[in-house]
Amino acid sequence: YNHLPSTTPKALMAATVLETPQEKTNSYKSLLLIHSVKTEDTLIGTREKVLVYFEKSEAIDEIKPGSQIIFEQAPEPIENRGNPHEFDYKSYLEKKHILRQVYLKTGNWSLTGYRNNTSLLWAETIRDKLLRIYREQHIGAQETEILSALTLGYKRELDRETKRVFSAAGAMHVLAVSGLHVGILFIAFSFCFGFLQKRKIGRFIYVLLSISLLWCYAFITGLSPSVIRACTMFSLIIIAGNINRRANIYNSLAASAFLLLLVNPNNLFEVGFQLSYMAVFGIVYLQPRIAGLWRVKNKIGLFFWNLICVSIAAQIATFPLSAYYFNQFPTYFLLSNIVVIPAAMILIPLGLGLLAFSK
């Protein structure tokens, strides 16, 4: 990415809107990709992501992902507020290649009428249409926000209190699309289409459909590091299983991390990336050892015992990171996971089924 020219405060800038504007208390927040800057006699090509805050007005309804706008307001560097021990928001955004922000009043910007249609913008548009289906069900504002986060990874409208409650209960991972969601989706797909594996050509179709479904889901949910990790691992496991090769979970975990860091080395510093890999490693390494401490013969009891063991293993592995980043330990994680994970196993397939068959 390029830095914007710093000596052109009155330059005319053209940018593409990357996200649907999210309503805040006094404005609408979104993300822009500025691609050209026109000074008095020069047109400069650039490529920089900039946070944007639009003044509240009815014109916001016309802005969609991919819309192009022009404006003259110069972006300003993002700075922290300077409070003691506060979250380093500036560094967090720098790792996402976001260095500046701009506030646009209603009369200071206008739509050009052109639209960009990249794959990520296409995915954002599809997610907006799917979110509209949920909102049309009139199940309640908070319920819609939680369902949107649970199935589509859309957390922009979750209020702080909901996030605080889920975080304190140790269930925040359910609202961030990750391996749990991808695993549930894959189990549901295997249940419906597992019969395809009985024939040779059917196995090829099964592999093609399952991997396509997982990566389409990854695109729609925003390509977060955790969901890319899960989709990469599941893709390797699916391919290995259908060519009669035994998949080594540690190799799959390392291969997915290598591919993600190859694409974007800054993923290494993402909290979600670190937590995701530590949680999976903890589950793979510790869960069998914890589960072996008590033999449960009853199937229902075994299900809940394995659930408890997975929760304990994940918490042990992620505790150093969660204590460092969030200064807390979720004391109710065992109780919440016993309720939340079975609920997610029902709600995620039903929620996605509603989206698929809503018409």
Side-chain angles (χ1 to χ4, degrees):
Y1 63 99
N2 301 320
H3 294 279
L4 295 176
S6 58
T7 56
T8 53
K10 290 295 183 181
L12 185 66
M13 303 184 185
T16 299
V17 179
L18 299 180
E19 297 177 354
T20 303
Q22 175 193 1
E23 187 173 6
K24 297 292 184 181
T25 305
N26 300 312
S27 62
Y28 280 87
K29 179 183 177 183
S30 186
L31 186 65
L32 297 179
L33 178 63
I34 299 179
H35 45 76
S36 59
V37 180
K38 185 180 182 301
T39 58
E40 294 180 357
D41 55 357
T42 309
L43 183 65
I44 303 171
T46 186
R47 188 174 178 83
E48 182 173 358
K49 291 181 181 179
V50 174
L51 272 183
V52 60
Y53 295 89
F54 292 100
E55 183 183 25
K56 285 193 172 183
S57 71
E58 295 180 357
I60 297 297
D61 295 335
E62 300 178 17
I63 297 179
K64 307 295 179 187
S67 298
Q68 288 191 18
I69 65 170
I70 53 174
F71 60 94
E72 290 189 5
Q73 183 70 34
E76 299 177 351
I78 295 172
E79 300 292 346
N80 293 325
R81 296 181 179 179
N83 298 321
H85 309 293
E86 70 174 0
F87 175 68
D88 193 350
Y89 188 57
K90 180 180 178 181
S91 296
Y92 169 76
L93 290 178
E94 282 179 354
K95 291 183 178 67
K96 295 179 178 291
H97 297 174
I98 301 172
L99 305 173
R100 311 189 189 200
Q101 60 186 359
V102 63
Y103 179 79
L104 297 179
K105 294 185 177 180
T106 304
N108 291 356
W109 64 272
S110 61
L111 288 164
T112 65
Y114 293 98
R115 285 177 62 86
N116 280 338
N117 289 309
T118 64
S119 58
L120 290 177
L121 291 173
W122 176 73
E124 182 80 12
T125 302
I126 290 178
R127 182 160 64 170
D128 277 351
K129 291 180 180 179
L130 297 176
L131 290 170
R132 202 173 302 125
I133 294 172
Y134 281 154
R135 291 167 185 147
E136 290 170 355
Q137 308 308 312
H138 304 294
I139 61 174
Q142 190 177 45
E143 289 80 358
T144 302
E145 291 168 6
I146 293 173
L147 187 61
S148 301
L150 180 68
T151 57
L152 297 174
Y154 185 81
K155 297 185 292 183
R156 296 174 203 161
E157 295 182 0
L158 278 176
D159 59 78
R160 289 186 177 181
E161 181 61 17
T162 301
K163 291 180 180 178
R164 188 195 67 77
V165 169
F166 271 82
S167 178
M172 194 63 189
H173 60 93
V174 177
L175 297 183
V177 174
S178 61
L180 171 67
H181 302 69
V182 176
I184 292 172
L185 179 64
F186 177 65
I187 290 171
F189 176 85
S190 298
F191 178 78
C192 295
F193 298 99
F195 66 90
L196 291 173
Q197 298 184 87
K198 294 179 179 179
R199 296 179 179 273
K200 188 175 182 179
I201 185 65
R203 286 201 297 269
F204 175 77
I205 296 172
Y206 175 84
V207 170
L208 189 64
L209 286 178
S210 58
I211 293 178
S212 299
L213 175 68
L214 294 181
W215 284 102
C216 284
Y217 183 63
F219 265 98
I220 292 172
T221 54
L223 289 174
S224 65
S226 58
V227 76
I228 294 176
R229 187 266 309 156
C231 286
T232 304
M233 288 183 63
F234 273 100
S235 298
L236 294 171
I237 291 169
I238 291 167
I239 294 170
N242 282 272
I243 60 174
N244 298 320
R245 295 292 183 89
R246 186 177 178 180
N248 184 293
I249 192 68
Y250 296 106
N251 286 345
S252 300
L253 193 64
S256 63
F258 175 75
L259 291 173
L260 261 68
L261 294 175
L262 200 62
V263 174
N264 182 8
N266 278 325
N267 279 332
L268 184 62
F269 305 101
E270 287 275 355
V271 178
F273 180 91
Q274 296 172 14
L275 287 172
S276 176
Y277 277 91
M278 285 302 296
V280 174
F281 179 80
I283 290 169
V284 171
Y285 182 76
L286 295 175
Q287 191 273 341
R289 290 163 173 77
I290 298 172
L293 297 176
W294 184 27
R295 300 295 179 184
V296 181
K297 295 181 180 179
N298 182 279
K299 288 186 177 180
I300 297 176
L302 182 61
F303 171 80
F304 284 103
W305 172 237
N306 284 330
L307 196 59
I308 290 170
C309 293
V310 167
S311 299
I312 294 173
Q315 288 297 334
I316 291 173
T318 58
F319 170 69
L321 291 174
S322 60
Y324 176 74
Y325 287 117
F326 308 115
N327 302 315
Q328 68 176 21
F329 180 78
T331 52
Y332 300 107
F333 73 91
L334 273 181
L335 181 62
S336 63
N337 283 331
I338 289 174
V339 177
V340 168
I341 292 179
M345 293 176 71
I346 297 171
L347 288 171
I348 291 172
L350 288 178
L352 296 176
L354 170 64
L355 298 176
F357 302 107
S358 61
K359 290 189 181 299

